[in-house]
Amino acid sequence: MSTTRLLVLGGVRRFGRAHGYEVRRELISWGSDEWAHVNPGSIYHALKQLAKEGLLRAHDVEESDAGPPHTDYEITEAGREEFLRLLRCALATVDVRHPEMLTAGLGFLTELTREEAVRLLRERLDGLAEWRGSVAPHLEEQDAGDHLRELLGWWVHSAESAATWTRGLIERLEAGAYTMAGDPR
């Protein structure tokens, strides 16, 4: 899974049609350069690559009073499908090596229906329980004097904290928080 792909596809999708600077400005305003390490060069590269893959459509725009020539991008149907696939994975999958995927997914949470978002977050809870369950026995087996208990303890605590937060988000969504896709506007 690629955080950059999700962010760029989602950014273009939100604009409808946008040039690289607009997408870059939007993503940087989210702080994605810090938490996802998405730098301007990777955004421009992703735009070109996604267009090459047929997930974005590129439109060359000639110089005008509004500015120099540039390329505008819009998402294709295949791009929408890939965006939704990445978004669903980001919300449902527990990947301790890539927490930025969840962060990116949360930025586009409202692009899903309430029911689907809740279902995906419940899948995430199952994944968190599985992760905790795979680590906790090793913590109990570890010698009390071994400092590696702290690492295992951190992982167990992280899984428990993430599960608590996820349950809270599910409760907020079920109570009607946020305007989700498919909700009356």
Side-chain angles (χ1 to χ4, degrees), residues 37-48:
H37 310 289
V38 175
N39 60 49
S42 61
I43 293 169
Y44 291 111
H45 174 75
L47 287 164
K48 289 177 183 166

Side-chain angles (χ1 to χ4, degrees), residues 56 66 88 119 121 164:
L56 296 177
R88 289 172 179 131
R119 180 182 57 76
L121 290 167
T164 298

Side-chain angles (χ1 to χ4, degrees), residues 9 31-32 36 40 43 46 51 75 87 89-90 113 121 126-128 135 137 140 170 182 184:
L9 285 169
S32 64
I43 293 169
I75 196 162
L87 175 56
C89 285
T113 65
L121 290 167
D126 292 343
L128 288 165
V135 174
E140 294 162 9
I170 290 169

Side-chain angles (χ1 to χ4, degrees), residues 71-140:
T71 303
D72 280 353
Y73 296 91
E74 67 181 320
I75 196 162
T76 64
E77 186 56 38
R80 278 191 256 317
E81 290 172 14
E82 176 68 357
F83 165 74
L84 289 171
R85 184 190 72 77
L86 289 168
L87 175 56
R88 289 172 179 131
C89 285
L91 294 175
T93 304
V94 175
D95 185 347
V96 297
R97 293 163 297 161
H98 298 286
E100 70 277 3
M101 279 303 293
L102 173 61
T103 306
L106 291 172
F108 299 110
L109 177 68
T110 59
E111 303 292 324
L112 298 171
T113 65
R114 188 172 307 282
E115 295 75 24
E116 183 173 24
V118 167
R119 180 182 57 76
L120 293 167
L121 290 167
R122 289 192 191 286
E123 286 180 35
R124 178 171 207 80
L125 281 176
D126 292 343
L128 288 165
E130 186 178 315
W131 176 43
R132 186 197 181 286
S134 71
V135 174
H138 299 291
L139 176 62
E140 294 162 9

